[in-house]
Amino acid sequence: MTLNEQEIMNAICLHIAERKQIQPTQVQVQLMWDEQLGFSAEVTAEGRSQFLIESNMKEAIERYLLSEYDRRVFRGQIELDVEDEMFAVIRED
């Protein structure tokens, strides 16, 4: 299974909205990749910005897969990658 960039952003929006008890539409996400720093995301909600590291992003994807696809996966099964855009590959273990 593969999630595209939009689905990764949706996962993060839903995750942050749930934690802050706001609507997902109130969350903005910018995905980033740096050769030295790896994957991250800048999240803006309620006028505040925060950065998520790769493990936080994978946690959001875990929860998204469970809530939207009824699939229980673990962080070790999620691999983030980037070509033209970011995507997540979910390995079947």
Side-chain angles (χ1 to χ4, degrees):
M1 174 177 203
T2 302
L3 298 182
N4 64 30
E5 187 169 279
Q6 184 61 55
E7 287 180 294
I8 295 170
M9 289 190 289
N10 291 348
I12 293 169
C13 285
L14 289 169
H15 181 68
I16 296 298
E18 183 178 309
R19 287 181 159 232
K20 294 186 177 285
Q21 297 181 343
I22 59 176
Q23 293 298 312
T25 55
Q26 295 176 275
V27 181
Q28 295 178 333
V29 177
Q30 181 177 344
L31 300 176
M32 295 176 279
W33 182 81
D34 180 271
E35 197 169 304
Q36 295 174 336
L37 301 175
F39 295 96
S40 61
E42 182 177 8
V43 177
T44 305
E46 298 182 308
R48 294 182 160 192
S49 289
Q50 72 182 82
F51 287 88
L52 303 182
I53 60 173
E54 185 172 346
S55 63
N56 302 126
M57 295 169 67
K58 287 182 176 183
E59 178 184 4
I61 292 168
E62 270 182 40
R63 296 177 66 139
Y64 178 78
L65 290 170
L66 185 59
S67 68
E68 301 299 312
Y69 291 97
D70 197 29
R71 291 197 54 198
R72 178 77 175 129
V73 299
F74 299 97
R75 273 171 236 179
Q77 294 174 263
I78 302 169
E79 291 182 27
L80 295 176
D81 204 349
V82 66
E83 286 180 10
D84 293 335
E85 65 177 35
M86 194 178 296
F87 62 96
V89 176
I90 315 307
R91 291 191 331 268
E92 301 293 327
D93 286 343

